[in-house]
Amino acid sequence: MTVLAVEKPERTRSLDRFMPQPHQAAMQVPAWLAALRQAAAERFLQAGFPTIHDEEWRLTNVAPLVERSYGSCKRQEALATAREPAVVAALKAVDLSDANAVRLVLINGNFIPELSSAAPAGVTVRGFGEAIKAGEPALRNLLGKLALPEHHGFVALNAAAFDDGLFIDVAPGSTPSQPLHIVALTHHVAPHDGVLAHPRLLLNLGHHAKLTVLTSWVGGGASPSLTNPVMEAFIGQAAALELVKVVSINDGDSHIASDYVQLADAANLRSFVLNTGGAVVRNNLSTVLDGPAAEATLNGLSLSRGCQHVDNHTLLDHAREHCPSHELYKSILADQASGVFKGRILVRPGAQKTDSKQTSKAILLSDEATMNSQPQLEIYADDVKCTHGSTTGPLNDEQLFYLRSRGLDATRAHAFLTYAFAADAINRISHEAIRAAINQRVVERLHEVAPG
Amino acid sequence: MALLEIKDLHAGVVGGKEILRGLNLTINAGEVHAIMGPNGSGKSTLAQVLAGRETYEVTSGSVMFDGKDLLELAPEERACEGLFLAFQYPVEIPGVSTSYFLKSALNAIRKHRGESELDAMDFLKLLKSKMKLLEMDQSFLGRSVNEGFSGGEKKRNEIMQMAVLNPRLAVLDETDSGLDIDALKIVSNGVNALRAPDRGILVVTHYQRLLDYIVPDFVHVLRNGRIIKSGDKNLALELEARGYGWLEQEQPAAV
């Protein structure tokens, strides 16, 4: 660090302001975690935030986000915040009670049991502080195993700076019928600066367990906030996880997420992300198919307008043989909105019989909207099937004419096609009540993005 | 008053060459007309122009539909007035269920006619009866419009939609293409069930085969964008036997 401080004193000083102060620690930090955080902090101070000169961040400029000053919000403040009318309203807005969901509330990364429901049988839900006190072995064994500080500065910073997190453990063979609904709110109290939050999630599914998790990222205040969540999920042998994520933060706020999933033998992941809000949204999703016959399905839908920028970066790491993977990302962009999809598929030596299909589709509703779609296939095995396809363009004239020739006016025909385009992705959500809730959110959002 | 009256119609692809070159055709309610002609004669252009496809442009002539200037109307207004086009190549629309789309279309048309909208139950009943007419499986209800349909299924779906929307004038564009004999019979039965004194049907086809099942009142031969010969159903049989060549000697194509 000394060397760097000499070489780049200004930069290190500017990065220092992101480091948590020792007295701020909200939980008892055991030695193993202190070491993990120290290493991450060093890595962050050395590497800093990614810039547009890094290949993986070429199309998403985070400089304006990290040059801003942010406040932080500790647990006690978060709890006080939770009683504010704006927060109560935001929490209600994503009410999924129809789905009989178990609500788990995070405010600025702090788990708030007071606002959360009890976990169903077979599922352990704890804040990190409590999990550490309880000596959860899975926390120690798994935290930081997939999300390495070397990946990029945001992951390193999260590990160095998170002050609480959510630990979810599903016992082997448990298949709770209730989905979990994590409501993750980033909120600050005016007139203070926006908040920089580092939510941390750890999911562990024992063998043959089955779980559905919806995560709603919501909120924001008058000043721009930035949320930097990191999630690690481990899906045990023949276990199945459906992950649905909704980013519907305020238009001034940003969200840089790094999610990691590891699948054991015959495990199944079904993921869906809906992006509707935010100034800059980046979803990094790295999936490693780490056991034979594991299957991953990654889907996404982005509805953007104004100057919004949404970047979905996915990695499907086929580490073992006989694994299918399916990927469909769709975007509807209006105004000057911009979108990025980067889909990397890595087929490692020995991952024979890999069957991977990737599709990215975008509709541009304005001449000024842009979409950048890049597949990246790296194949080191010889008996595999990998396909990818990408289309970007305006609404299809032939389809518009077909609908109009049946009596629907141009506005309705547009609405039908944009919805149809979106529904194709939504319909891939397995959980019925969540699919219906997402569908409702999309219908509302389409009225804003594509008013016809 | 004629149901459809086309006078001296000139039209072509926008910015392209003229394809219809002075076409005249009158269809009265209750009549079934067939337009036959070789490839490139303008059959599909006529169907698309009647339905209001924007990629075609009418340069002169007139089309009156039930006393209204058809060319002034947007495609959806034509549909609401009772025009229906069964497409030669029905487009696939992933994500839109056939039943939801068709219910919206029917209710748009009913609203235009000043009729009350059908509720979900009544619509489903109607839809199921028309699907039965076309021998379509109930599983089509939940499927997206034309998505993954075989050629024959798409054509059946077109005629099923026609039966639901109940048009005044139906234009069938090469509805027989891509059909095997069983599907051809099913589709023809569907069309014949819709023959009615207050409805006109215009069948556009390359082959006489379809006309064995949908027997027309009038047959017209289209060549180089105009009708060069008209007759009854026997003209179609003659064309089948002799081809189109003899007509050219009889009446040289206009340039």
Side-chain angles (χ1 to χ4, degrees):
Chain A
M1 296 321 303
T2 320
V3 176
L4 281 159
V6 173
E7 278 178 353
K8 298 174 183 174
E10 252 180 75
R11 182 166 177 225
T12 305
R13 214 171 27 243
S14 75
L15 292 174
D16 264 339
R17 71 194 167 93
F18 292 102
M19 291 291 101
Q21 300 306 308
H23 67 271
Q24 287 183 334
M27 58 183 180
Q28 293 285 321
V29 176
W32 66 266
L33 183 53
L36 186 147
R37 298 173 72 109
Q38 179 60 31
E42 283 170 17
R43 176 71 197 184
F44 172 71
L45 291 173
Q46 185 193 340
F49 291 103
T51 71
I52 52 169
H53 303 295
D54 295 299
E55 178 57 27
E56 291 299 305
W57 295 81
R58 196 166 57 83
L59 298 165
T60 295
N61 185 9
V62 299
L65 308 182
V66 301
E67 279 159 10
R68 231 176 248 147
S69 69
Y70 293 99
S72 63
C73 179
K74 298 297 150 194
R75 200 180 180 288
Q76 287 312 313
E77 298 158 328
L79 192 53
T81 301
R83 304 207 168 88
E84 280 184 38
V87 173
V88 173
L91 294 177
K92 273 198 180 140
V94 285
D95 189 10
L96 236 200
S97 45
D98 283 355
N100 193 24
V102 173
R103 190 170 80 167
L104 306 172
V105 175
L106 293 178
I107 297 180
N108 300 335
N110 294 275
F111 178 50
I112 314 288
E114 293 87 337
L115 295 175
S116 303
S117 330
V123 181
T124 303
V125 173
R126 289 194 160 120
F128 275 9
E130 205 194 331
I132 288 164
K133 261 190 241 161
E136 287 285 355
L139 186 68
R140 178 173 182 173
N141 293 340
L142 301 177
L143 190 72
K145 290 295 178 290
L146 299 177
L148 306 181
E150 289 75 20
H151 291 156
H152 56 79
F154 286 99
V155 174
L157 178 59
N158 178 288
F162 71 80
D163 54 19
D164 192 10
L166 186 58
F167 170 76
I168 298 171
D169 187 87
V170 186
S174 284
T175 58
S177 61
Q178 287 173 277
L180 305 187
H181 183 196
I182 301 170
V183 181
L185 182 79
T186 302
H187 184 78
H188 72 96
V189 183
H192 298 299
D193 288 337
V195 167
L196 172 55
H198 306 285
R200 184 94 189 190
L201 290 94
L202 181 66
L203 264 74
N204 184 38
L205 270 71
H207 64 84
H208 297 88
K210 202 176 166 188
L211 185 70
T212 300
V213 180
L214 167 66
T215 309
S216 299
W217 296 94
V218 292
S223 305
S225 286
L226 173 61
T227 308
N228 173 34
V230 170
M231 183 198 69
E232 292 168 287
F234 298 83
I235 312 179
Q237 184 195 351
L241 174 64
E242 176 157 39
L243 276 179
V244 180
K245 170 179 178 177
V246 179
V247 182
S248 58
I249 51 178
N250 283 5
D251 282 353
D253 293 345
S254 293
H255 181 92
I256 309 282
S258 303
D259 294 341
Y260 296 84
V261 185
Q262 185 184 60
L263 292 89
D265 311 6
N268 192 293
L269 167 69
R270 181 168 274 271
S271 149
F272 179 90
V273 58
L274 172 67
N275 300 295
T276 62
V280 175
V281 173
R282 161 91 171 214
N283 297 301
N284 297 299
L285 174 56
S286 300
T287 303
V288 54
L289 296 146
D290 208 25
E295 179 169 6
T297 305
L298 314 183
N299 298 321
L301 175 64
S302 304
L303 310 174
S304 311
R305 61 168 177 168
C307 296
Q308 289 185 312
H309 178 79
V310 175
D311 178 347
N312 287 301
H313 257 64
T314 66
L315 165 64
L316 276 162
D317 181 348
H318 282 263
R320 298 295 301 272
E321 66 279 11
H322 289 283
C323 293
S325 67
H326 325 268
E327 201 168 12
L328 174 70
Y329 273 78
K330 294 194 142 190
S331 306
I332 297 174
L333 302 113
D335 308 327
Q336 295 86 40
S338 53
V340 176
F341 171 74
K342 169 89 177 276
R344 183 172 169 220
I345 295 172
L346 172 61
V347 181
R348 293 185 188 269
Q352 301 295 9
K353 305 291 180 190
T354 288
D355 187 353
S356 181
K357 187 180 180 196
Q358 177 189 91
T359 309
S360 154
K361 292 184 175 178
I363 286 180
L364 305 178
L365 296 176
S366 111
D367 292 341
E368 293 164 283
T370 57
M371 181 72 201
N372 195 304
S373 186
Q374 299 177 354
Q376 185 184 337
L377 273 55
E378 293 166 57
I379 301 171
Y380 303 103
D382 53 12
D383 185 13
V384 303
K385 201 165 109 187
C386 289
T387 62
H388 67 88
S390 165
T391 56
T392 298
L395 286 172
N396 182 309
D397 278 341
E398 236 184 302
Q399 293 177 336
L400 275 175
F401 179 64
Y402 189 88
L403 296 176
R404 293 179 69 190
S405 80
R406 297 297 183 249
L408 300 175
D409 64 35
T411 304
R412 288 199 73 194
H414 271 92
F416 256 83
L417 288 189
T418 45
Y419 174 72
F421 180 84
D424 183 31
I426 299 166
N427 288 339
R428 292 165 202 240
I429 298 171
S430 289
H431 194 283
E432 203 176 324
I434 292 177
R435 184 171 66 235
I438 296 289
N439 189 63
Q440 186 55 37
R441 178 76 193 105
V442 169
V443 168
E444 289 161 12
R445 177 66 177 176
L446 279 176
H447 284 299
E448 302 164 11
V449 172
Chain B
M1 182 174 61
L3 183 58
L4 182 76
E5 194 164 22
I6 304 175
K7 282 188 178 161
D8 194 30
L9 185 64
H10 290 255
V13 175
V14 175
K17 68 180 172 89
E18 192 172 81
I19 299 169
L20 299 180
R21 306 173 192 193
L23 186 136
N24 292 290
L25 178 68
T26 299
I27 298 177
N28 293 303
E31 294 175 354
V32 175
H33 289 242
I35 288 195
M36 302 185 68
N39 288 333
S41 58
K43 300 191 301 292
S44 281
T45 298
L46 174 62
Q48 297 276 321
V49 165
L50 289 177
R53 185 81 202 254
E54 294 98 331
T55 46
Y56 293 91
E57 144 181 76
V58 173
T59 45
S60 69
S62 69
V63 181
M64 298 301 286
F65 178 54
D66 209 14
K68 294 193 175 71
D69 184 350
L70 187 74
L71 302 178
E72 285 291 303
L73 303 178
E76 60 271 24
E77 293 169 330
R78 300 179 192 204
C80 287
E81 290 293 334
L83 182 82
F84 180 90
L85 170 65
F87 285 76
Q88 181 179 6
Y89 302 111
V91 65
E92 299 193 9
I93 312 182
V96 173
S97 85
T98 302
S99 56
Y100 182 63
F101 150 62
L102 205 50
K103 177 165 166 272
S104 305
L106 177 62
N107 281 333
I109 293 172
R110 288 178 67 96
K111 202 174 158 191
H112 180 84
R113 289 180 189 153
E115 297 168 5
S116 64
E117 296 193 3
L118 280 192
D119 65 23
M121 291 289 279
D122 288 340
F123 174 76
L124 195 62
K125 226 159 92 184
L126 173 73
L127 184 61
K128 282 183 173 171
S129 75
K130 302 306 181 191
M131 287 174 70
K132 205 171 159 196
L133 176 69
L134 274 300
E135 299 182 28
M136 289 170 73
D137 192 272
Q138 297 269 323
S139 67
F140 281 86
L141 278 173
R143 288 172 67 180
S144 296
V145 177
N146 294 321
E147 191 188 23
F149 286 25
S150 70
E153 286 169 343
K154 283 181 182 170
K155 296 301 177 74
R156 267 196 257 180
N157 193 24
E158 292 294 287
I159 303 305
M160 190 275 285
Q161 291 178 43
M162 169 183 159
V164 169
L165 298 179
N166 208 13
R168 303 278 328 273
L169 176 70
V171 179
L172 313 184
D173 187 7
E174 307 254 0
T175 294
D176 51 333
S177 67
L179 292 185
D180 63 30
I181 191 69
D182 291 332
L184 186 68
K185 282 180 184 167
I186 293 167
V187 163
S188 303
N189 285 341
V191 174
N192 286 329
L194 295 168
R195 293 180 83 141
D198 61 347
R199 177 176 293 131
I201 297 175
L202 177 60
V203 180
V204 172
T205 181
H206 188 93
Y207 299 105
Q208 187 269 338
R209 186 177 72 144
L210 177 68
L211 305 181
D212 285 342
Y213 300 95
I214 305 171
V215 180
D217 301 304
F218 300 94
V219 173
H220 312 277
V221 180
L222 189 64
R223 174 83 193 168
N224 283 330
R226 57 168 64 177
I227 287 170
I228 56 167
K229 192 169 181 70
S230 297
D232 60 13
K233 62 180 179 181
N234 293 316
L235 176 57
L237 296 169
E238 198 170 354
L239 285 169
E240 178 76 358
R242 300 174 63 185
Y244 290 102
W246 60 280
L247 285 169
E248 291 189 36
Q249 279 115 47
E250 196 168 271
Q251 183 178 338
V255 177

